[in-house]
């Protein structure tokens, strides 16, 4: 009998965990309390394995126990000022309060991801390549600094939310593998945020931002593209972008050993050296790493030997293909081919770090809180709640009660986020579809992931006001300030009190735009 991929994956992970328990125990402390930083961080573990980090990027924590520099830089929209965001303590977690204070009442983007290795391999806005980005001069967009909140070790932090058109790069690096030199890399990613676009990568790429041929890249890919290679199930998969191909194993197309990923936080690892390479993956919250592939280079020309060039990319392909989506929290690149034992010890450090979703309370309009929004219009709708449809991306109201299905309850539950366009306002993220947000389009409400369009942040931002009926709270559109979130004929819109559209009708407008903040149904 053939074991299903998930069972094979679990067995491999269990064996990997057991085989390195002693090494992990020797390298790690503070596993009993994730609020403390580890005395050995990932790059200390790699150094102990004689494969030191030559690039180390994170917006959430230090990747060396002795690191006390900045993690990343943000720039605010109101005046173009920038600020480096550092740590709560040496070797510890990001001080997200610095960002929150600096970006208050405006929005910020992430401009620099600092390299903690000392090699100066910082990541900045990706320039125009063979493909143009949507920003000025054909450059790529920069990530919204508040779009991917999490907690790590119980501390608030932010990831790098890559919408299509967003990308970071360094074409002038120091110490990154070139040619057929051995290297390794890992990244912690959001396993629920992905698409089939090319290409959500982190790793080694061309220095020209163009496609220079097979084997000129070696980068982690995460997504569900099947244009090149793919694994078992429907994806997403951890694969390797080796240029002109996403590879899940030795075959150029299907490799059954590469499993679909279903974890909220994913550890993705790729390593390559002369005549060999491997893909490994695991749950970044618990357990060990599974080896999804380990063996010879792909059975296609140009990949043995490799022709790596040593640039670093994040969120894009080597030629600046920028149609992908994903979220990055931390990652490193090494000099040398790391042993499985070293990678397993790094995985133990990652799971001890304590990654968790950014939901930190219930029932209030405070960022991080989970809520449900109850209609107040009587007599029709006082038992109805704002929810997203399952058949499409429309947002509606419908009755929800204790007898409702678990799916209906989850569809009517939201996580309050700082406003993507104005941090003093609010954005609502789906509780059961992380990374998808309440936004208006043509005045109707939808649940969508950030598509990289210039208006998304504005469309997904709502400012609170006392309920227009004198009850509850009303939610004012950030970019149409005369319009408020309203239900009309059980469908959600932004609507003015009188206007050309049917949903702007004055009848019941004040009640329809007033909402009670309730404890979340899920």
């Amino acid at each position: 009998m053939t074991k299903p991929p998930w069972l094979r994956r679990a067995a491999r992970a269990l064996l990997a965990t057991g085989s390195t328990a002693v090494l992990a125990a020797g390298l790690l402390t503070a596993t009993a309390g994730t609020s403390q930083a580890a005395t050995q961080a990932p790059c200390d573990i790699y150094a102990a394995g004689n494969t030191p980090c030559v690039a180390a990027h994170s917006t959430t924590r230090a990747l060396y126990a002795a690191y006390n520099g900045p993690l990343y830089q943000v720039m605010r929209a109101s005046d173009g000022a920038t600020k480096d965001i550092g740590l709560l303590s040496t070797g510890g977690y990001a001080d997200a309060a610095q960002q929150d204070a600096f970006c208050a009442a405006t929005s910020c983007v992430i401009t620099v991801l600092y390299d903690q290795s000392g090699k100066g391999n910082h990541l900045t806005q990706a320039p125009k390549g063979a493909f143009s980005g949507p920003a000025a001069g054909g450059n790529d967009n920069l990530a919204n600094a508040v779009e991917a909140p999490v907690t790590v070790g119980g501390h608030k932090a932010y990831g790098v939310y890559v919408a299509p058109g967003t990308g970071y790069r360094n074409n002038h690096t120091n110490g990154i593998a070139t040619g057929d030199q051995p290297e390794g890399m890992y990244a912690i990613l959001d396993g629920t945020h992905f698409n089939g676009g090319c290409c959500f990568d982190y790793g080694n790429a061309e220095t020209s931002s163009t496609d220079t041929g097979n084997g000129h890249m070696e980068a982690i890919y995460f997504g569900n593209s099947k244009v090149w290679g793919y694994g078992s199930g429907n994806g997403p998969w951890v694969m390797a972008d080796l240029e002109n191909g996403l590879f899940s194993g030795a075959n150029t197309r299907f490799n059954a050993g590469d499993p679909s990923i279903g974890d909220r936080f994913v550890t993705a690892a790729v390593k390559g050296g002369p005549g060999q390479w491997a893909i490994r993956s695991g749950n970044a919250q618990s357990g060990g790493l599974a080896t999804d592939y380990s063996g010879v280079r792909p059975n296609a020309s140009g990949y043995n030997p490799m022709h790596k060039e040593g640039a670093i990319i994040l969120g894009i392909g080597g030629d600046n293909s920028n149609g992908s989506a994903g979220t990055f929290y931390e990652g490193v690149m090494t000099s040398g081919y790391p042993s499985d034992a070293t990678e397993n010890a790094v995985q133990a450090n990652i799971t001890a770090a304590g990654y968790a979703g950014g939901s930190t309370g219930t029932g209030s309009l405070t960022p991080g809180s989970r809520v449900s929004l109850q209609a107040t219009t009587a007599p029709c709708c006082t038992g109805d709640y704002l929810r997203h449809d399952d058949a499409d991306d429309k947002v509606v109201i419908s009755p929800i009660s204790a007898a409702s299905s678990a799916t209906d309850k989850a569809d009517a539950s939201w996580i309050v986020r700082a406003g993507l366009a104005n941090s003093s306002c609010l954005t609502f993220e789906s509780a059961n579809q992380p990374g998808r947000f309440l936004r208006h389009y043509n005045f109707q409400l939808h649940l969508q992931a950030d598509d990289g369009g210039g208006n998304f942040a504005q469309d997904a931002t709502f400012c609170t006001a006392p309920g227009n009926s004198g009850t509850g709270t009303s939610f004012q559109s950030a970019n149409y300030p005369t319009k408020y979130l309203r239900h009309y004929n059980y469908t959600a819109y932004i609507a003015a009190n009188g206007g050309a559209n049917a949903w702007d009708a004055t009848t019941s407008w004040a009640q329809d735009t007033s909402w009670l903040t309730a404890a979340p149904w899920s």
Side-chain angles (χ1 to χ4, degrees):
M1 182 179 70
T2 301
K3 294 180 182 178
W6 66 265
L7 189 56
R8 295 199 306 270
R9 174 186 174 89
R12 292 197 306 268
L14 194 60
L15 286 170
T17 302
S19 68
T20 57
V22 174
L23 176 60
L27 288 170
L28 297 174
T29 61
T31 56
T34 57
S35 63
Q36 303 176 26
T39 58
Q40 294 287 319
C43 286
D44 303 307
I45 298 169
Y46 278 114
N50 296 314
T51 51
C53 294
V54 288
H57 306 105
S58 177
T59 56
T60 62
R61 64 175 184 141
L63 300 178
Y64 291 84
Y67 187 74
N68 196 29
L71 296 178
Y72 62 103
Q73 182 188 86
V74 295
M75 179 175 67
R76 62 187 177 202
S78 58
D79 59 2
T82 60
K83 182 174 179 59
D84 289 347
I85 306 302
L87 297 160
L88 291 168
S89 62
T90 299
Y93 302 97
D95 187 355
Q98 294 180 7
Q99 175 182 311
D100 291 341
F102 182 74
C103 301
T106 184
S107 63
C108 282
V109 293
I110 297 173
T111 47
V112 183
L113 279 77
Y114 289 109
D115 174 21
Q116 300 179 32
S117 76
K119 298 285 188 180
N121 293 321
H122 313 308
L123 296 177
T124 57
Q125 185 175 29
K128 179 181 179 180
F131 289 86
S132 295
N139 296 333
D140 291 345
N141 287 335
L142 295 165
N144 189 310
V146 301
E147 205 158 357
V150 291
T151 61
V152 188
H155 302 280
K156 182 180 181 181
Y158 293 100
V160 183
Y161 186 101
V162 173
T166 302
Y168 294 83
R169 193 177 197 118
N170 186 335
N171 283 338
H172 306 283
T173 60
N174 175 26
I176 305 300
T178 59
D180 208 26
Q181 292 176 338
E183 66 177 347
M185 62 198 75
Y186 84 83
I188 307 304
L189 309 171
D190 182 343
T192 67
H193 183 207
F194 60 89
N195 69 4
C198 182
C199 289
F200 184 69
D201 291 349
Y202 174 72
N204 195 322
E206 295 95 338
T207 57
S208 62
S209 300
T210 61
D211 179 350
T212 54
N214 294 3
H216 285 249
M217 291 181 62
E218 189 165 67
I220 295 164
Y221 165 82
F222 184 70
N224 65 345
S225 172
K226 296 180 73 172
V227 174
W228 296 281
Y230 58 97
S232 60
N234 296 318
W237 304 280
V238 175
M239 296 192 283
D241 190 341
L242 305 180
E243 190 53 277
N244 296 319
L246 301 175
F247 292 90
S248 55
N251 299 321
T252 58
R253 296 290 291 163
F254 174 65
N255 291 275
D258 196 20
S260 293
I261 301 294
D263 301 317
R264 170 62 175 86
F265 295 95
V266 178
T267 305
V270 167
K271 55 185 173 182
Q276 64 174 334
W277 71 290
I279 304 171
R280 307 190 74 205
S281 63
N283 184 340
Q285 294 178 293
S286 64
L289 290 178
T291 299
D292 304 327
Y293 174 79
S294 180
V296 298
R297 288 291 188 179
N299 53 16
S301 63
Y303 300 102
N304 191 19
M306 293 287 285
H307 315 280
K308 293 174 278 194
E309 298 188 24
I312 306 174
I313 54 173
L314 172 60
I316 52 176
D319 57 4
N320 199 45
S321 303
N322 51 38
S324 62
T327 299
F328 172 92
Y329 302 106
E330 65 176 75
V332 311
M333 299 175 67
T334 72
S335 174
Y337 193 91
S339 69
D340 285 1
T342 295
E343 291 176 328
N344 294 342
V346 170
Q347 169 69 358
N349 176 278
I350 290 165
T351 60
Y355 274 94
S359 178
T360 55
T362 60
S364 71
L365 294 174
T366 302
S369 179
R370 294 167 71 100
V371 300
S372 290
L373 297 176
Q374 183 179 5
T376 64
T377 308
C380 74
C381 309
T382 54
D384 292 356
Y385 291 79
L386 192 73
R387 58 154 315 162
H388 64 85
D389 268 346
D390 291 318
D392 52 39
D393 68 358
K394 294 179 181 178
V395 177
V396 299
I397 60 168
S398 71
I400 305 291
S401 69
S404 297
S405 70
T407 297
D408 288 344
K409 290 177 180 177
D411 290 349
S413 299
W414 306 88
I415 302 175
V416 180
R417 300 299 190 196
L420 298 183
N422 184 333
S423 62
S424 66
C425 299
L426 303 176
T427 290
F428 294 96
E429 181 181 9
S430 169
N432 63 340
Q433 294 192 24
R436 300 176 71 85
F437 302 91
L438 189 68
R439 62 87 58 100
H440 66 81
Y441 181 78
N442 284 342
F443 307 115
Q444 187 168 350
L445 271 292
H446 299 265
L447 183 72
Q448 295 179 349
D450 189 340
D451 58 5
N455 294 326
F456 185 91
Q458 293 281 339
D459 294 347
T461 301
F462 302 88
C463 301
T464 58
N468 289 318
S469 68
T471 297
T473 302
S474 291
F475 300 98
Q476 181 185 38
S477 167
N479 51 348
Y480 289 91
T482 64
K483 298 179 182 291
Y484 292 78
L485 197 162
R486 178 191 192 173
H487 64 87
Y488 180 81
N489 282 348
Y490 303 99
T491 300
Y493 300 90
I494 57 167
N497 189 10
N501 302 305
W503 54 84
D504 293 323
T506 58
T507 302
S508 299
W509 179 86
Q511 292 77 24
D512 293 350
T513 58
S514 299
W515 304 83
L516 295 178
T517 303
W521 280 108
S522 174

